[in-house]
Amino acid sequence: MGSIDTSPRAESGSDPIPTPNGTTANGLPAVEGSVHPLAMDSTGDSAENESLRKRTKGSGVLPLEVGTRVMCRWRDGKYHPVKVIERRKLPCGGVNDYEYYVHYTEFNRRLDEWVKLEQLDLNSVETVVDEKVEDKVTSLKMTRHQKRKIDETHVEGHEELDAASLREHEEFTKVKNIATIELGRYEIETWYFSPFPPEYNDCSKLFFCEFCLNFMKRKEQLQRHMRKCDLKHPPGDEIYRSGTLSMFEVDGKKNKVYGQNLCYLAKLFLDHKTLYYDVDLFLFYVLCECDDRGCHMVGYFSKEKHSEESYNLACILTLPPYQRKGYGKFLIAFSYELSKKEGKVGTPERPLSDLGMLSYRGYWTRVLLDILKKHKGNISIKELSDMTAIKAEDILSTLQGLELIQYRKGQHVICADPKVLDRHLKAAGRGGLEVDVCKLIWTPYKEQN
């Protein structure tokens, strides 16, 4: 399933809380020097007319070529640098009437979108560079790791790919095929490409049954389906219920269509290299909010039935309407509670994206420091691992990152000053929703003969 992208913003994609220190209302960096004023000129023309004059002045470069760099007016009303990824002719337009799919070079790929010509400042058009030639020159000057670092279209979560494979992936997935989905009472803007079957290529919006996850092209189809669908929760066993929260375990082998549909849905919000169609090998843990209408999915994580690397989580996602509520942290904690029940240590599937690592580092920090604060006397990394089900390597790297561990006389020694622990705990933030282990009724998976 690939690595975590917990909302490419921390938890399964959750947006950062807006702050005054140079971020926009969407939690994105405020852009210095890229604002093109749209004020009235001396003749009283509107900003719209000013924009029109700019476009007319630069009309000699139309239509823009793929690869062109230009300034584009974003939803915040400001201009930001973009790169043209694709273009398509307008049905009833003239020779130069195109709309353009652009990547905002300062932002994550999830914000790529189709824009109209009037959003572009044609005075800012830069000469198109032959990227193949540029790549050859660049490759001679830097290592593959450095190239990935500076590649503006670099996607977190692909650290295992070489430069050629990464570029092939981005070429295949460069344009979002589905713009929005309807799931339950929410209409959700998607973030990334998902390889739906070819018959859905002409759809910009899909309608999902929130219980069985079947998807349709039209609202009328969904309404007919809902009258027939007798599911009110994910298929599988309910293994946890606390208040209005429920967790269902879904076996990909027993519920293959549901597992595949869940992968299609998740891929719209996770930018992973691979979408597994062989869901037989995975268990899906689907978290739901329950009411009198049924159990409504808020997120999930998956894990391999048998992992030689001790992975206890493959993919994790909190759906956008439910982000910033602590569900991502809950899912991480839940995966470790299952590992404890199995009597094993666990770790998330690698590689982790930068933000995925932040989420896990926060969880590990809170769990380990809580124990160190309460524990009297010496404690070893092995003992911490046994208590938490966190892999020893993850404990060691976390404590080293916090500068709480030293290497003395051939062994690692934990140095836990109470004031230092409090400072680190405060920096780690709140732990989110807690898993009430008394409400977990589950036995580890065993292959049936």
Side-chain angles (χ1 to χ4, degrees), residues 378 380-381 396 405-414:
N378 295 330
S380 69
I381 290 176
L396 187 59
I405 199 162
Q406 297 177 6
Y407 194 71
R408 297 176 185 169
K409 298 179 180 179
Q411 62 181 357
H412 291 100
V413 179
I414 300 172

Side-chain angles (χ1 to χ4, degrees), residues 81 142 148 150 161 186 207 245 280 363 387 390 396 445:
M142 62 186 68
R148 288 204 303 266
I150 65 144
L161 302 181
Y186 293 105
F207 300 84
L245 276 188
D280 294 18
Y363 171 80
M387 294 167 69
I390 300 173
L396 187 59
Y445 174 83

Side-chain angles (χ1 to χ4, degrees), residues 69-270:
R69 297 173 189 273
V70 64
M71 302 298 289
C72 179
R73 191 174 70 250
W74 194 49
R75 64 191 70 168
D76 61 358
K78 299 177 183 179
Y79 280 83
H80 299 277
V82 300
K83 179 180 176 182
V84 176
I85 302 298
E86 191 58 272
R87 68 182 188 183
R88 64 187 179 195
K89 206 161 181 24
L90 294 173
C92 303
V95 177
N96 293 329
D97 288 336
Y98 286 81
E99 58 181 351
Y100 300 91
Y101 193 80
V102 300
H103 166 64
Y104 294 89
T105 56
E106 301 161 323
F107 304 151
N108 187 280
R109 283 207 319 161
R110 75 168 68 87
L111 296 176
D112 295 2
E113 62 181 350
W114 288 102
V115 300
K116 299 187 182 305
L117 183 61
E118 54 262 30
Q119 293 174 249
L120 304 175
D121 174 12
L122 298 184
N123 285 337
S124 66
V125 171
E126 295 181 17
T127 305
V128 179
V129 178
D130 186 336
E131 293 193 351
K132 291 182 180 178
V133 174
E134 187 181 45
D135 283 347
K136 286 182 180 178
V137 174
T138 305
S139 296
L140 294 174
K141 294 181 179 179
M142 62 186 68
T143 66
R144 189 177 72 191
H145 175 72
Q146 290 171 322
K147 184 175 181 181
R148 288 204 303 266
K149 282 281 190 183
I150 65 144
D151 188 347
E152 74 206 16
T153 57
H154 169 64
V155 180
E156 295 173 359
H158 295 299
E159 288 78 3
E160 82 280 17
L161 302 181
D162 59 25
S165 298
L166 179 60
R167 195 165 291 281
E168 180 183 353
H169 162 69
E170 290 174 349
E171 176 64 26
F172 180 68
T173 65
K174 65 183 180 181
V175 178
K176 275 184 281 194
N177 49 341
I178 307 297
T180 58
I181 62 167
E182 185 174 308
L183 180 70
R185 57 195 179 95
Y186 293 105
E187 183 176 87
I188 310 170
E189 289 187 10
T190 64
W191 294 352
Y192 301 111
F193 171 91
S194 182
F196 283 90
E199 57 266 33
Y200 295 90
N201 286 348
D202 60 344
C203 298
S204 61
K205 181 176 181 179
L206 287 180
F207 300 84
F208 279 80
C209 170
E210 63 174 328
F211 301 119
C212 71
L213 297 187
N214 283 346
F215 46 88
M216 300 106 200
K217 295 183 178 183
R218 298 191 306 276
K219 179 79 170 182
E220 300 78 21
Q221 291 176 305
L222 176 63
Q223 290 169 340
R224 287 197 300 270
H225 168 84
M226 294 303 293
R227 288 194 289 267
K228 299 175 183 177
C229 184
D230 54 5
L231 275 182
K232 293 299 177 186
H233 57 75
D237 300 322
E238 185 177 19
I239 62 172
Y240 179 88
R241 177 169 290 207
S242 179
T244 59
L245 276 188
S246 284
M247 182 76 82
F248 291 83
E249 181 184 64
V250 181
D251 188 331
K253 187 174 183 179
K254 295 178 181 177
N255 301 278
K256 186 171 292 190
V257 174
Y258 181 90
Q260 290 175 344
N261 290 345
L262 179 56
C263 291
Y264 281 128
L265 172 63
K267 184 65 183 68
L268 293 168
F269 305 100
L270 297 173

